[in-house]
Amino acid sequence: MAAPLQLLNLKPLNLRPFHASPTLTFPKSTSIRCSSSTPSKRSYTITLLPGDGIGPEVISVAKDVLLLAGSLEGIKYEFQEKLLGGAALDATGVPLPEDTLSSAKQSDAVLLGAIGGYKWDKNEKQLKPETGLLQLREGLKVFANLRPATVFPQLVHASTLKPEVAEGVDLMVVRELTGGIYFGKPRGFGTNEDGEETGYNTEIYAAHEIDRIARYAFEVARKRNGKLCSVDKANVLEASMFWRKRVLALAQEYPDIELSHMYVDNAAMQLIRNPKQFDTIVTNNIFGDILSDEASMITGSIGMLPSASLGDSGPGLFEPIHGSAPDIAGQDKANPFATVLSAAMLLRYGLGEDKAAERIENAVLDTLNRGFRTGDIYSSGTKLVGCKQLGEEILKSVESHVPAGAV
C-alpha cells in the first residue's frame, strides 16, 4: 500500500524534475502525493481499469511504458486488470463489481482508462458507467483531484487560442472530488405541488470537506508560484458563501500565499481571455469538473492531460481526463499521451518513483520533439500516426532515456 499522505513538512515531488531547456516544459512542482519520496520497496501491485471505448487502447500503451520504464529503473509490477463502467455492466450487471473495488483498495495504485458510451446512456442512474466511477472514488476516499494544464511549446499552435494567449500557460486545478452536488442528499425525482415531475440535487459541503481540499490547494500553491484562486458562486449560492468563509479562515495559516476569489462564470471567461493569470485554482466538485475540461482545451487537446486523485491514505487513482470517445474506439486513432502521463503521475505521486516518472516525462517530450502526432494534435509538418505506433515511439524514447535539454 502507498504510505499515508502528509500535507505539511513534505519534501516536494516535482512535476518538472529537471532544468528544462527553452523547448521543454512540465508543470511547476507540488508537494502533494500519496507515498513517501523515497520508495520503501521496488515491487508494486497496480490495478488496471481499461474501462470502455478507447480506454483499453490507451491503457495498453501506458502498461507497456510502465513495464519498460520500470525494468530500466529496477521496478517490478504485478498488474491486476479489472472491470469498471460499461464493460462491468455487460459482464456483471453492475458498474463497479465488488471484486474491482477490493482489488483497487488492496493495490499500491490504480490506473484507469475511460468509462462510458452511447450504449449505456439510457440506463437508470444506478446502472450508468459513470456511477461506477463515482463509487470507485468514494470507495478509495480520494477527495483531491489534481489536474495540471500545461501548454507544451511543441503544441502551442494546436490550441484554438492565439499563440500569444496560449504560450506559457501552466496552471493546476485542485478539484474537490467526493462532495458537493455529485454526492449531496437529498437527491432524486419527485412531483411538485402542481403535480409536475421534478428532478433535484443538493449542493452541500461540511466544514471539514472544504478545509481539507483548501489546505491541499494552499500547499500546492506554496510549491508553485504562491498564488491561489478560489472559484465559487458566493453571490448566489449558500454553499459557495460557506466555501468562501472557510477558505478565508484557512488563509490566515498561509500568509505567504496570494489568495484571490472569483465567481465561476467569470473564471470560465478569464480562462479563455487570459489563462496565464492563473497558477493554482481550487474549487468544488462540479465547478472543477467543468473548468478543468475547459482548461484542457487551452493546451490543444484533452488527450494531453493527466490527473491524479489522492486521499489521506491508501492508493491513488490516476487517469486521463478525456472520455471514452466511442466514436473512434477500436480505430487506432486515440491519443495515449494523457494516459502515459497519468502513469508518470502514478509513479511520482503514488509510488515515489521519481526517476522512472522522469524517464516517462522526458520520453513524451522527446516523442513530441520528433514530430509524432495523433489526429487530435496533428498539424502540417508533423507525422500523423495511430495510437499503437505512437506508443512504440514513446517506448523508443523511454529506452533511449534522452535527458532534458538534449532533444
Side-chain angles (χ1 to χ4, degrees), residues 17 26 36 46-47 63 73 154-155 159 166 184 213 254 258 292 302 323 328 344 346 373 381 387 396:
F26 269 112
S36 60
I46 309 297
T47 295
K63 179 182 178 182
E73 297 294 343
Q154 303 91 333
L155 298 179
S159 175
I213 193 65
Y254 295 90
E258 179 186 334
S292 59
I302 200 171
I328 62 169
L346 181 155
R373 307 283 191 272
C387 181
K396 291 177 185 177

Side-chain angles (χ1 to χ4, degrees), residues 222-252:
R222 175 172 278 170
K223 295 303 179 182
R224 288 172 58 89
N225 282 333
K227 292 176 58 179
L228 177 64
C229 180
S230 177
V231 174
D232 56 40
K233 191 61 177 170
N235 58 334
V236 176
L237 302 176
E238 284 80 1
S240 277
M241 297 173 192
F242 185 55
W243 176 284
R244 185 173 292 202
K245 174 184 175 182
R246 299 302 303 186
V247 172
L248 281 168
L250 193 62
Q252 303 304 310

Side-chain angles (χ1 to χ4, degrees), residues 6-29:
Q6 301 295 326
L7 292 177
L8 297 172
N9 300 320
L10 296 175
K11 178 182 179 181
L13 287 175
N14 299 320
L15 282 178
R16 183 186 294 146
F18 47 78
H19 296 292
S21 73
T23 60
L24 299 172
T25 184
F26 269 112
K28 304 177 185 72
S29 63

Side-chain angles (χ1 to χ4, degrees), residues 200-319:
Y200 54 92
N201 294 87
T202 301
E203 168 72 357
I204 183 170
Y205 273 105
H208 80 276
E209 293 176 305
I210 300 172
D211 291 353
R212 67 185 181 182
I213 193 65
R215 190 177 298 279
Y216 246 113
F218 276 111
E219 292 295 331
V220 169
R222 175 172 278 170
K223 295 303 179 182
R224 288 172 58 89
N225 282 333
K227 292 176 58 179
L228 177 64
C229 180
S230 177
V231 174
D232 56 40
K233 191 61 177 170
N235 58 334
V236 176
L237 302 176
E238 284 80 1
S240 277
M241 297 173 192
F242 185 55
W243 176 284
R244 185 173 292 202
K245 174 184 175 182
R246 299 302 303 186
V247 172
L248 281 168
L250 193 62
Q252 303 304 310
E253 300 178 23
Y254 295 90
D256 55 317
I257 304 301
E258 179 186 334
L259 175 65
S260 62
H261 302 271
M262 192 174 291
Y263 297 143
V264 63
D265 44 356
N266 186 30
M269 291 187 290
Q270 294 298 327
L271 273 171
I272 299 301
R273 189 186 71 84
N274 180 21
K276 286 194 283 285
Q277 70 182 279
F278 296 103
D279 182 67
T280 305
I281 295 172
V282 63
T283 191
N284 69 13
N285 204 339
I286 189 170
F287 296 163
D289 191 2
I290 296 167
L291 292 177
S292 59
D293 278 2
E294 180 188 4
S296 74
M297 293 313 300
I298 299 170
T299 70
S301 173
I302 200 171
M304 292 302 301
L305 300 187
S307 75
S309 300
L310 309 173
D312 283 324
S313 63
L317 174 63
F318 303 86
E319 58 181 305

Side-chain angles (χ1 to χ4, degrees), residues 97-120:
E98 182 57 39
D99 175 59
T100 298
L101 181 57
S102 176
S103 174
K105 286 182 174 180
Q106 295 175 34
S107 63
D108 293 296
V110 181
L111 184 63
L112 167 64
I115 54 98
Y118 308 131
K119 178 180 180 180
W120 307 281

Side-chain angles (χ1 to χ4, degrees), residues 12-13 18 32 39 48 52 64 111 125-126 152 171 198 201 236 265 276 282 311 315 320 341 344 360 367 369:
L13 287 175
F18 47 78
I32 306 304
L48 298 177
D52 311 316
D64 289 343
L111 184 63
K125 180 180 179 295
Q126 68 272 20
F152 292 89
L171 62 90
T198 62
N201 294 87
V236 176
D265 44 356
K276 286 194 283 285
V282 63
L341 288 170
I360 293 175
T367 304
N369 280 338

